[in-house]
Amino acid sequence: MPDFILELARPADAQHLAEMSRDHIETGLGWHYRKEALRQLMADPDTNVVVARTAPNSPVIGFAVMSYQGFEAHLVLLAVAPAWRRRGVATALVQWHLKAARVAGAQSLAVELRADNAPARRFYAKLDFRIIQRIDKSYGGTVAALCMVKDLRVNPDAG
């Protein structure tokens, strides 16, 4: 049994999620996902924002944001507090979103990550994501990115 719970984010979580994004995702890239941006994502009907907590109303220990567009889903943000890494939080967050994407009829889930982030690349590969593209000078022209995708179709060879 995990020692954390998953639930939809609340507007009151926005500042903490923004700080986690700044500190654990956007480091050195400028701060795009501030409190208001996170609140907008929470209010968007085509986006899910899920958080992990140790108990109801406790501080957020991890979060993931996924948006939908047609038959594709995109994992926009994923962050876990350093003290909670390698304890299944990120896997649980991604699996929650994978289930939601399948229910919504998405055929694939894509994620973009820094090309130099080997732990993230291994994490997604372990979840059967595959690299489909490298984008040099992404993230404001400063860092290369990898696009990875997971096929969500039950029988992809059937078309």
Side-chain angles (χ1 to χ4, degrees):
M1 185 84 166
D3 48 355
F4 56 88
I5 60 171
L6 301 181
E7 61 185 21
L8 292 174
R10 304 175 203 139
D13 296 324
Q15 181 63 39
H16 186 67
L17 302 187
E19 291 168 4
M20 288 182 76
S21 180
R22 178 196 64 204
D23 297 344
H24 306 301
I25 301 170
E26 300 182 82
T27 305
L29 302 175
W31 190 15
H32 176 74
Y33 290 100
R34 295 174 185 259
K35 179 172 77 171
E36 285 310 312
L38 268 296
R39 281 194 175 159
Q40 288 175 0
L41 289 169
M42 288 178 207
D44 183 345
D46 294 322
T47 303
N48 291 328
V49 182
V50 177
V51 297
R53 305 175 192 277
T54 57
N57 300 315
S58 68
V60 172
I61 60 170
F63 78 99
V65 178
M66 183 175 69
S67 64
Y68 299 91
Q69 187 172 23
F71 291 109
E72 296 179 357
H74 180 81
L75 190 59
V76 179
L77 297 169
L78 172 65
V80 176
W84 284 89
R85 291 180 186 162
R86 302 208 181 281
R87 295 174 66 177
V89 176
T91 299
L93 288 163
V94 172
Q95 287 176 340
W96 190 99
H97 280 301
L98 286 168
K99 184 176 180 179
R102 286 184 179 106
V103 169
Q107 294 180 2
S108 63
L109 175 57
V111 63
E112 184 179 292
L113 57 137
R114 294 178 193 219
D116 61 359
N117 189 341
R121 193 170 56 246
R122 286 190 301 272
F123 169 77
Y124 289 114
K126 200 161 101 174
L127 294 172
D128 297 323
F129 283 77
R130 60 184 174 76
I131 297 170
I132 60 166
Q133 182 180 15
R134 179 186 170 96
I135 305 168
D136 291 323
K137 296 185 180 177
S138 187
Y139 300 113
T142 59
V143 178
L146 296 176
C147 295
M148 297 182 77
V149 70
K150 179 175 176 75
D151 194 326
L152 302 179
R153 295 174 292 171
V154 175
N155 186 358
D157 296 331

